[in-house]
Structure formats: C-alpha cells, structure tokens
Amino acid sequence: MIEAGDIGFARTTGAMGRMIRLGEWISFRKGDQWNHAFVIDRVENGVAYVLQATLKGVTNTATLDEVAPGGKYITFAPPEIVMSKELLYFARKQVGLRYGYWTIIAIAIDIVTWQWFPAFRGARKQSWICSALVGESLRYGGWLHEWLDIYTVTPAQLYCALKIS
C-alpha cells in the first residue's frame, strides 16, 4: 500500500531520461535503470500525488500515474530510521523552487571530471534536481549516507544506496 513519505523511482521515455541513464551508465557502468526520483506527497481518494523536481521546478501536483507515461516506476517505504513526517516537512518546503538547468549541466560536468577538478556547480539561486531533493529529504528525515556530494547523486546511485541500507 502506497503511503505519504514513500520513495519512488521512475524510468521515463523522454530524451532527458535517456540522457540521464546514459550518463549514469558511462560514469558508473551500473544502475542505469532509473532516471527520476520522487516522494509520495499524499494519497487522496486512492490517488497518490508525488513531490518531485521537474523541469518546471519542485511540484506536488502530479499523480503517480503521470510520473512515467509509457515508462515504469516503483515505490517503497524509506528506511526504518527515517521519520516520514520530517522527510515530508522538508520536501514540502521546497515546492515552488526552480529546477536548475545550469545546475544539471554543471553537475553533469562535475560527475564526469576528476574529484580534484574545481566544481562548476556554484549555486547562485536555490534549485534542485530530483535525486538531490529526495536524498536531502531523506537526510532531513534521519537517513544518513556518506555521499561525496549530495547534490551530484544520480537517481540510480540513490536507489542503490537505499536498497543496500
């Protein structure tokens, strides 16, 4: 049964989704099954609504069925240590923030360059990519994972980390 605070991952069919999966495969040689991460925001009359970072910014108006038209998705409860109320509080406070086009380009450069190379991602405005939003929401809820940089975590990396925790 899907509940508010559950975590989800999707494999979408659009060009952006394909590019993300290709980038994940090139960088990590694994985990290229998922290209989008989200949180279940609420369930109303049997319909689940998702909280996600999209090209339109952080939203909570799409239904679960709209997340991956023509693709697939999975949902599951977060690790037991996570306080779902806290996770949802943080994620909901992000609604309305923009999705950083330049942020995603800079993150892509950061992922494929060496760790000692200066990061391009210097944020001048608050913005999120989907996996960073979910990862930071999980951290606010109490799930700590030793990421090199939470803001460059891909959906596949987040999925893999959650499945082994």
Side-chain angles (χ1 to χ4, degrees):
M1 177 179 208
I2 296 174
E3 297 182 11
D6 284 356
I7 305 302
F9 292 89
R11 180 184 181 99
T12 62
T13 58
M16 175 83 80
R18 283 189 215 118
M19 286 190 302
I20 291 169
R21 289 192 307 274
L22 176 63
E24 289 173 334
W25 182 82
I26 289 170
S27 295
F28 313 112
R29 297 290 192 261
K30 64 178 180 177
D32 60 342
Q33 181 175 1
W34 308 112
N35 61 272
H36 185 57
F38 56 90
V39 174
I40 300 296
D41 181 46
R42 64 195 183 282
V43 180
E44 296 175 354
N45 300 319
V47 177
Y49 290 85
V50 300
L51 204 151
Q52 61 184 337
T54 70
L55 294 176
K56 295 178 181 177
V58 179
T59 66
N60 65 346
T61 56
T63 66
L64 183 56
D65 291 335
E66 296 170 328
V67 168
K72 62 181 181 175
Y73 63 81
I74 60 165
T75 63
F76 51 86
E80 287 184 24
I81 194 168
V82 173
M83 295 174 285
S84 290
K85 286 184 181 182
E86 297 298 317
L87 177 151
L88 286 166
Y89 173 80
F90 180 86
R92 288 172 177 156
K93 294 293 268 182
Q94 309 313 304
V95 171
L97 290 181
R98 49 192 294 152
Y99 183 91
Y101 290 102
W102 292 110
T103 302
I104 193 85
I105 292 167
I107 288 171
I109 293 169
D110 287 347
I111 288 172
V112 297
T113 57
W114 305 275
Q115 295 303 321
W116 54 264
F117 195 80
F120 285 100
R121 190 184 25 81
R124 287 169 185 74
K125 295 180 182 173
Q126 287 184 311
S127 67
W128 288 107
I129 61 169
C130 65
S131 46
L133 172 66
V134 175
E136 191 67 3
S137 297
L138 283 161
R139 183 162 60 170
Y140 196 88
W143 183 70
L144 300 176
H145 185 78
E146 292 188 26
W147 301 109
L148 186 58
D149 182 348
I150 186 71
Y151 301 101
T152 60
V153 171
T154 69
Q157 288 174 309
L158 182 60
Y159 173 80
C160 289
L162 284 167
K163 290 321 267 179
I164 62 169
S165 68

